Amino acid sequence: IKDCVVRLDTTISSILEYSRNGNMEIKQNDVNIKDIWEQSLVPHASAGRAADINFSYETNIKSTVKIDAFRLGVIFNNLLSNAIKYCDSNKKERYVKLIARQSVNGLQLILADNGLGIPEEHQSRVFNMFYRASSLSQGAGLGLYIVKQAVDKLGGVIFHDSVEGVGTTFTITLPMVIE
């Protein structure tokens, strides 16, 4: 019963995130990306599988950026949730790292893990609503769909590179203003 309640709560939270993302206006605020990353880590730190994962952050950005903090948090939360859920417990050292850097095209966020990876036959559909690429998935298949919608709402693009058994990297490019 407890597992069912947790899954239902997660699904309802995802639906609310999706709704807020679609209905809220974009609010550009001065944001320290590392702060949003660290805030996003807090609810995931207590997840049993997260205990042995090394979370890291790298950046070449020396100041704040103007970006929608809510949507950036939604992106980080959903990508972190997946990275933790699909970590490879057979690997001695597990990691999830975020690299935030200023690029010619704006803000580039690279989130990489050495988890299970996404099987090649599922990669073209991972951003589809309700699509679950793994039998291990207990979610509703909304996480990456919500990430894609948030990135689109911010005027950005998202790509992924994944090798089954090696890991997954998501690269997001968003327009930004450096303060």
PDB file of all heavy atoms in Angstrom, residues 20-47:
ATOM      1  N   ARG A  20       1.576  23.466 -14.127  1.00  0.00           N
ATOM      2  CA  ARG A  20       2.185  24.764 -13.790  1.00  0.00           C
ATOM      3  C   ARG A  20       3.114  25.227 -14.900  1.00  0.00           C
ATOM      4  O   ARG A  20       3.153  26.407 -15.243  1.00  0.00           O
ATOM      5  CB  ARG A  20       2.937  24.669 -12.471  1.00  0.00           C
ATOM      6  CG  ARG A  20       2.031  24.729 -11.268  1.00  0.00           C
ATOM      7  CD  ARG A  20       2.825  24.955 -10.000  1.00  0.00           C
ATOM      8  NE  ARG A  20       3.728  23.852  -9.739  1.00  0.00           N
ATOM      9  CZ  ARG A  20       3.559  22.932  -8.813  1.00  0.00           C
ATOM     10  NH1 ARG A  20       2.507  22.994  -8.029  1.00  0.00           N
ATOM     11  NH2 ARG A  20       4.415  21.962  -8.647  1.00  0.00           N
ATOM     12  N   ASN A  21       3.889  24.305 -15.465  1.00  0.00           N
ATOM     13  CA  ASN A  21       4.805  24.661 -16.543  1.00  0.00           C
ATOM     14  C   ASN A  21       4.038  25.236 -17.728  1.00  0.00           C
ATOM     15  O   ASN A  21       4.457  26.208 -18.338  1.00  0.00           O
ATOM     16  CB  ASN A  21       5.621  23.445 -16.986  1.00  0.00           C
ATOM     17  CG  ASN A  21       6.560  23.785 -18.119  1.00  0.00           C
ATOM     18  OD1 ASN A  21       7.352  24.704 -18.024  1.00  0.00           O
ATOM     19  ND2 ASN A  21       6.454  23.055 -19.208  1.00  0.00           N
ATOM     20  N   GLY A  22       2.911  24.643 -18.049  1.00  0.00           N
ATOM     21  CA  GLY A  22       2.131  25.097 -19.198  1.00  0.00           C
ATOM     22  C   GLY A  22       1.378  26.382 -18.962  1.00  0.00           C
ATOM     23  O   GLY A  22       1.140  27.150 -19.899  1.00  0.00           O
ATOM     24  N   ASN A  23       0.998  26.635 -17.701  1.00  0.00           N
ATOM     25  CA  ASN A  23       0.127  27.767 -17.419  1.00  0.00           C
ATOM     26  C   ASN A  23       0.819  28.994 -16.841  1.00  0.00           C
ATOM     27  O   ASN A  23       0.309  30.103 -16.974  1.00  0.00           O
ATOM     28  CB  ASN A  23      -0.993  27.330 -16.466  1.00  0.00           C
ATOM     29  CG  ASN A  23      -1.914  26.321 -17.112  1.00  0.00           C
ATOM     30  OD1 ASN A  23      -2.192  26.391 -18.300  1.00  0.00           O
ATOM     31  ND2 ASN A  23      -2.382  25.356 -16.329  1.00  0.00           N
ATOM     32  N   MET A  24       1.937  28.800 -16.169  1.00  0.00           N
ATOM     33  CA  MET A  24       2.620  29.939 -15.548  1.00  0.00           C
ATOM     34  C   MET A  24       3.403  30.735 -16.582  1.00  0.00           C
ATOM     35  O   MET A  24       3.984  30.171 -17.501  1.00  0.00           O
ATOM     36  CB  MET A  24       3.609  29.447 -14.483  1.00  0.00           C
ATOM     37  CG  MET A  24       2.974  28.998 -13.199  1.00  0.00           C
ATOM     38  SD  MET A  24       4.177  28.338 -12.004  1.00  0.00           S
ATOM     39  CE  MET A  24       5.466  29.547 -11.986  1.00  0.00           C
ATOM     40  N   GLU A  25       3.391  32.036 -16.369  1.00  0.00           N
ATOM     41  CA  GLU A  25       4.225  32.881 -17.215  1.00  0.00           C
ATOM     42  C   GLU A  25       5.692  32.666 -16.835  1.00  0.00           C
ATOM     43  O   GLU A  25       5.996  32.299 -15.704  1.00  0.00           O
ATOM     44  CB  GLU A  25       3.865  34.354 -17.019  1.00  0.00           C
ATOM     45  CG  GLU A  25       2.526  34.721 -17.620  1.00  0.00           C
ATOM     46  CD  GLU A  25       2.268  36.220 -17.536  1.00  0.00           C
ATOM     47  OE1 GLU A  25       3.247  36.999 -17.604  1.00  0.00           O
ATOM     48  OE2 GLU A  25       1.106  36.580 -17.396  1.00  0.00           O
ATOM     49  N   ILE A  26       6.561  32.923 -17.780  1.00  0.00           N
ATOM     50  CA  ILE A  26       7.989  32.818 -17.504  1.00  0.00           C
ATOM     51  C   ILE A  26       8.393  34.007 -16.646  1.00  0.00           C
ATOM     52  O   ILE A  26       8.080  35.157 -16.963  1.00  0.00           O
ATOM     53  CB  ILE A  26       8.800  32.776 -18.815  1.00  0.00           C
ATOM     54  CG1 ILE A  26       8.458  31.500 -19.581  1.00  0.00           C
ATOM     55  CG2 ILE A  26      10.286  32.874 -18.533  1.00  0.00           C
ATOM     56  CD1 ILE A  26       9.066  31.416 -20.952  1.00  0.00           C
ATOM     57  N   LYS A  27       9.083  33.718 -15.542  1.00  0.00           N
ATOM     58  CA  LYS A  27       9.563  34.763 -14.641  1.00  0.00           C
ATOM     59  C   LYS A  27      11.075  34.700 -14.606  1.00  0.00           C
ATOM     60  O   LYS A  27      11.651  33.805 -13.990  1.00  0.00           O
ATOM     61  CB  LYS A  27       8.991  34.572 -13.238  1.00  0.00           C
ATOM     62  CG  LYS A  27       7.500  34.774 -13.164  1.00  0.00           C
ATOM     63  CD  LYS A  27       7.006  34.621 -11.754  1.00  0.00           C
ATOM     64  CE  LYS A  27       5.489  34.762 -11.744  1.00  0.00           C
ATOM     65  NZ  LYS A  27       4.939  34.484 -10.426  1.00  0.00           N
ATOM     66  N   GLN A  28      11.708  35.641 -15.276  1.00  0.00           N
ATOM     67  CA  GLN A  28      13.164  35.699 -15.312  1.00  0.00           C
ATOM     68  C   GLN A  28      13.670  36.350 -14.029  1.00  0.00           C
ATOM     69  O   GLN A  28      13.299  37.464 -13.708  1.00  0.00           O
ATOM     70  CB  GLN A  28      13.629  36.527 -16.514  1.00  0.00           C
ATOM     71  CG  GLN A  28      13.157  36.011 -17.842  1.00  0.00           C
ATOM     72  CD  GLN A  28      14.039  34.898 -18.381  1.00  0.00           C
ATOM     73  OE1 GLN A  28      15.081  34.582 -17.851  1.00  0.00           O
ATOM     74  NE2 GLN A  28      13.590  34.294 -19.464  1.00  0.00           N
ATOM     75  N   ASN A  29      14.471  35.625 -13.286  1.00  0.00           N
ATOM     76  CA  ASN A  29      15.074  36.136 -12.057  1.00  0.00           C
ATOM     77  C   ASN A  29      16.575  35.947 -12.125  1.00  0.00           C
ATOM     78  O   ASN A  29      17.067  35.091 -12.854  1.00  0.00           O
ATOM     79  CB  ASN A  29      14.543  35.369 -10.835  1.00  0.00           C
ATOM     80  CG  ASN A  29      13.045  35.518 -10.664  1.00  0.00           C
ATOM     81  OD1 ASN A  29      12.541  36.617 -10.664  1.00  0.00           O
ATOM     82  ND2 ASN A  29      12.352  34.405 -10.543  1.00  0.00           N
ATOM     83  N   ASP A  30      17.291  36.732 -11.327  1.00  0.00           N
ATOM     84  CA  ASP A  30      18.730  36.512 -11.194  1.00  0.00           C
ATOM     85  C   ASP A  30      18.918  35.246 -10.379  1.00  0.00           C
ATOM     86  O   ASP A  30      18.451  35.153  -9.244  1.00  0.00           O
ATOM     87  CB  ASP A  30      19.405  37.690 -10.485  1.00  0.00           C
ATOM     88  CG  ASP A  30      19.384  38.950 -11.327  1.00  0.00           C
ATOM     89  OD1 ASP A  30      19.362  38.823 -12.566  1.00  0.00           O
ATOM     90  OD2 ASP A  30      19.379  40.050 -10.757  1.00  0.00           O
ATOM     91  N   VAL A  31      19.581  34.271 -10.960  1.00  0.00           N
ATOM     92  CA  VAL A  31      19.689  32.949 -10.351  1.00  0.00           C
ATOM     93  C   VAL A  31      21.139  32.493 -10.349  1.00  0.00           C
ATOM     94  O   VAL A  31      21.853  32.650 -11.336  1.00  0.00           O
ATOM     95  CB  VAL A  31      18.828  31.930 -11.148  1.00  0.00           C
ATOM     96  CG1 VAL A  31      19.067  30.519 -10.674  1.00  0.00           C
ATOM     97  CG2 VAL A  31      17.361  32.284 -11.065  1.00  0.00           C
ATOM     98  N   ASN A  32      21.533  31.914  -9.236  1.00  0.00           N
ATOM     99  CA  ASN A  32      22.802  31.208  -9.165  1.00  0.00           C
ATOM    100  C   ASN A  32      22.475  29.742  -9.465  1.00  0.00           C
ATOM    101  O   ASN A  32      21.753  29.095  -8.700  1.00  0.00           O
ATOM    102  CB  ASN A  32      23.419  31.370  -7.773  1.00  0.00           C
ATOM    103  CG  ASN A  32      24.748  30.666  -7.650  1.00  0.00           C
ATOM    104  OD1 ASN A  32      24.914  29.524  -8.088  1.00  0.00           O
ATOM    105  ND2 ASN A  32      25.698  31.348  -7.050  1.00  0.00           N
ATOM    106  N   ILE A  33      22.965  29.219 -10.551  1.00  0.00           N
ATOM    107  CA  ILE A  33      22.620  27.873 -10.989  1.00  0.00           C
ATOM    108  C   ILE A  33      23.008  26.834  -9.935  1.00  0.00           C
ATOM    109  O   ILE A  33      22.264  25.886  -9.685  1.00  0.00           O
ATOM    110  CB  ILE A  33      23.272  27.560 -12.349  1.00  0.00           C
ATOM    111  CG1 ILE A  33      22.683  28.498 -13.394  1.00  0.00           C
ATOM    112  CG2 ILE A  33      23.051  26.107 -12.745  1.00  0.00           C
ATOM    113  CD1 ILE A  33      23.417  28.510 -14.688  1.00  0.00           C
ATOM    114  N   LYS A  34      24.154  27.032  -9.296  1.00  0.00           N
ATOM    115  CA  LYS A  34      24.589  26.077  -8.276  1.00  0.00           C
ATOM    116  C   LYS A  34      23.569  25.995  -7.136  1.00  0.00           C
ATOM    117  O   LYS A  34      23.311  24.916  -6.607  1.00  0.00           O
ATOM    118  CB  LYS A  34      25.964  26.455  -7.730  1.00  0.00           C
ATOM    119  CG  LYS A  34      26.500  25.438  -6.744  1.00  0.00           C
ATOM    120  CD  LYS A  34      27.893  25.777  -6.279  1.00  0.00           C
ATOM    121  CE  LYS A  34      28.407  24.683  -5.347  1.00  0.00           C
ATOM    122  NZ  LYS A  34      29.738  25.006  -4.844  1.00  0.00           N
ATOM    123  N   ASP A  35      22.967  27.126  -6.763  1.00  0.00           N
ATOM    124  CA  ASP A  35      21.958  27.124  -5.700  1.00  0.00           C
ATOM    125  C   ASP A  35      20.743  26.285  -6.096  1.00  0.00           C
ATOM    126  O   ASP A  35      20.222  25.510  -5.288  1.00  0.00           O
ATOM    127  CB  ASP A  35      21.508  28.545  -5.364  1.00  0.00           C
ATOM    128  CG  ASP A  35      22.594  29.364  -4.667  1.00  0.00           C
ATOM    129  OD1 ASP A  35      23.585  28.773  -4.185  1.00  0.00           O
ATOM    130  OD2 ASP A  35      22.438  30.601  -4.618  1.00  0.00           O
ATOM    131  N   ILE A  36      20.280  26.429  -7.338  1.00  0.00           N
ATOM    132  CA  ILE A  36      19.119  25.650  -7.803  1.00  0.00           C
ATOM    133  C   ILE A  36      19.490  24.167  -7.836  1.00  0.00           C
ATOM    134  O   ILE A  36      18.689  23.308  -7.448  1.00  0.00           O
ATOM    135  CB  ILE A  36      18.649  26.126  -9.193  1.00  0.00           C
ATOM    136  CG1 ILE A  36      18.295  27.618  -9.179  1.00  0.00           C
ATOM    137  CG2 ILE A  36      17.467  25.290  -9.683  1.00  0.00           C
ATOM    138  CD1 ILE A  36      17.151  28.006  -8.298  1.00  0.00           C
ATOM    139  N   TRP A  37      20.688  23.841  -8.295  1.00  0.00           N
ATOM    140  CA  TRP A  37      21.170  22.459  -8.318  1.00  0.00           C
ATOM    141  C   TRP A  37      21.164  21.871  -6.911  1.00  0.00           C
ATOM    142  O   TRP A  37      20.641  20.779  -6.681  1.00  0.00           O
ATOM    143  CB  TRP A  37      22.567  22.427  -8.938  1.00  0.00           C
ATOM    144  CG  TRP A  37      23.299  21.130  -8.846  1.00  0.00           C
ATOM    145  CD1 TRP A  37      24.407  20.876  -8.086  1.00  0.00           C
ATOM    146  CD2 TRP A  37      23.023  19.903  -9.538  1.00  0.00           C
ATOM    147  NE1 TRP A  37      24.831  19.576  -8.265  1.00  0.00           N
ATOM    148  CE2 TRP A  37      23.997  18.962  -9.159  1.00  0.00           C
ATOM    149  CE3 TRP A  37      22.041  19.518 -10.448  1.00  0.00           C
ATOM    150  CZ2 TRP A  37      24.031  17.661  -9.634  1.00  0.00           C
ATOM    151  CZ3 TRP A  37      22.074  18.212 -10.935  1.00  0.00           C
ATOM    152  CH2 TRP A  37      23.042  17.300 -10.541  1.00  0.00           C
ATOM    153  N   GLU A  38      21.731  22.602  -5.956  1.00  0.00           N
ATOM    154  CA  GLU A  38      21.802  22.100  -4.591  1.00  0.00           C
ATOM    155  C   GLU A  38      20.415  21.966  -3.963  1.00  0.00           C
ATOM    156  O   GLU A  38      20.147  21.009  -3.243  1.00  0.00           O
ATOM    157  CB  GLU A  38      22.713  22.991  -3.751  1.00  0.00           C
ATOM    158  CG  GLU A  38      24.177  22.820  -4.141  1.00  0.00           C
ATOM    159  CD  GLU A  38      25.126  23.759  -3.426  1.00  0.00           C
ATOM    160  OE1 GLU A  38      24.666  24.698  -2.716  1.00  0.00           O
ATOM    161  OE2 GLU A  38      26.355  23.569  -3.571  1.00  0.00           O
ATOM    162  N   GLN A  39      19.519  22.902  -4.248  1.00  0.00           N
ATOM    163  CA  GLN A  39      18.141  22.798  -3.751  1.00  0.00           C
ATOM    164  C   GLN A  39      17.442  21.575  -4.351  1.00  0.00           C
ATOM    165  O   GLN A  39      16.648  20.916  -3.684  1.00  0.00           O
ATOM    166  CB  GLN A  39      17.349  24.056  -4.088  1.00  0.00           C
ATOM    167  CG  GLN A  39      17.756  25.281  -3.313  1.00  0.00           C
ATOM    168  CD  GLN A  39      17.138  26.553  -3.876  1.00  0.00           C
ATOM    169  OE1 GLN A  39      16.204  26.515  -4.666  1.00  0.00           O
ATOM    170  NE2 GLN A  39      17.685  27.696  -3.477  1.00  0.00           N
ATOM    171  N   SER A  40      17.745  21.285  -5.604  1.00  0.00           N
ATOM    172  CA  SER A  40      17.140  20.128  -6.274  1.00  0.00           C
ATOM    173  C   SER A  40      17.666  18.816  -5.706  1.00  0.00           C
ATOM    174  O   SER A  40      16.964  17.808  -5.722  1.00  0.00           O
ATOM    175  CB  SER A  40      17.412  20.181  -7.783  1.00  0.00           C
ATOM    176  OG  SER A  40      16.816  21.329  -8.343  1.00  0.00           O
ATOM    177  N   LEU A  41      18.882  18.819  -5.217  1.00  0.00           N
ATOM    178  CA  LEU A  41      19.465  17.606  -4.635  1.00  0.00           C
ATOM    179  C   LEU A  41      18.820  17.222  -3.301  1.00  0.00           C
ATOM    180  O   LEU A  41      18.735  16.038  -2.973  1.00  0.00           O
ATOM    181  CB  LEU A  41      20.970  17.781  -4.425  1.00  0.00           C
ATOM    182  CG  LEU A  41      21.852  17.700  -5.657  1.00  0.00           C
ATOM    183  CD1 LEU A  41      23.276  18.129  -5.320  1.00  0.00           C
ATOM    184  CD2 LEU A  41      21.839  16.310  -6.248  1.00  0.00           C
ATOM    185  N   VAL A  42      18.353  18.207  -2.544  1.00  0.00           N
ATOM    186  CA  VAL A  42      17.857  17.968  -1.181  1.00  0.00           C
ATOM    187  C   VAL A  42      16.776  16.883  -1.115  1.00  0.00           C
ATOM    188  O   VAL A  42      16.922  15.930  -0.351  1.00  0.00           O
ATOM    189  CB  VAL A  42      17.373  19.290  -0.528  1.00  0.00           C
ATOM    190  CG1 VAL A  42      16.652  19.027   0.781  1.00  0.00           C
ATOM    191  CG2 VAL A  42      18.555  20.218  -0.317  1.00  0.00           C
ATOM    192  N   PRO A  43      15.691  16.964  -1.890  1.00  0.00           N
ATOM    193  CA  PRO A  43      14.663  15.920  -1.745  1.00  0.00           C
ATOM    194  C   PRO A  43      15.115  14.546  -2.230  1.00  0.00           C
ATOM    195  O   PRO A  43      14.529  13.535  -1.847  1.00  0.00           O
ATOM    196  CB  PRO A  43      13.491  16.435  -2.578  1.00  0.00           C
ATOM    197  CG  PRO A  43      14.065  17.429  -3.514  1.00  0.00           C
ATOM    198  CD  PRO A  43      15.276  17.994  -2.838  1.00  0.00           C
ATOM    199  N   HIS A  44      16.155  14.503  -3.034  1.00  0.00           N
ATOM    200  CA  HIS A  44      16.631  13.233  -3.572  1.00  0.00           C
ATOM    201  C   HIS A  44      17.691  12.575  -2.683  1.00  0.00           C
ATOM    202  O   HIS A  44      17.956  11.382  -2.812  1.00  0.00           O
ATOM    203  CB  HIS A  44      17.194  13.430  -4.978  1.00  0.00           C
ATOM    204  CG  HIS A  44      16.187  13.949  -5.942  1.00  0.00           C
ATOM    205  ND1 HIS A  44      15.152  13.184  -6.423  1.00  0.00           N
ATOM    206  CD2 HIS A  44      16.034  15.176  -6.494  1.00  0.00           C
ATOM    207  CE1 HIS A  44      14.413  13.905  -7.236  1.00  0.00           C
ATOM    208  NE2 HIS A  44      14.925  15.114  -7.292  1.00  0.00           N
ATOM    209  N   ALA A  45      18.290  13.361  -1.797  1.00  0.00           N
ATOM    210  CA  ALA A  45      19.390  12.855  -0.974  1.00  0.00           C
ATOM    211  C   ALA A  45      18.956  11.699  -0.075  1.00  0.00           C
ATOM    212  O   ALA A  45      19.760  10.824   0.243  1.00  0.00           O
ATOM    213  CB  ALA A  45      19.982  13.983  -0.143  1.00  0.00           C
ATOM    214  N   SER A  46      17.699  11.688   0.314  1.00  0.00           N
ATOM    215  CA  SER A  46      17.233  10.639   1.223  1.00  0.00           C
ATOM    216  C   SER A  46      16.807   9.369   0.485  1.00  0.00           C
ATOM    217  O   SER A  46      16.527   8.350   1.120  1.00  0.00           O
ATOM    218  CB  SER A  46      16.075  11.154   2.070  1.00  0.00           C
ATOM    219  OG  SER A  46      14.991  11.516   1.231  1.00  0.00           O
ATOM    220  N   ALA A  47      16.767   9.424  -0.843  1.00  0.00           N
ATOM    221  CA  ALA A  47      16.424   8.228  -1.617  1.00  0.00           C
ATOM    222  C   ALA A  47      17.512   7.187  -1.395  1.00  0.00           C
ATOM    223  O   ALA A  47      18.702   7.492  -1.489  1.00  0.00           O
ATOM    224  CB  ALA A  47      16.292   8.563  -3.099  1.00  0.00           C
TER     225      ALA A  47
END
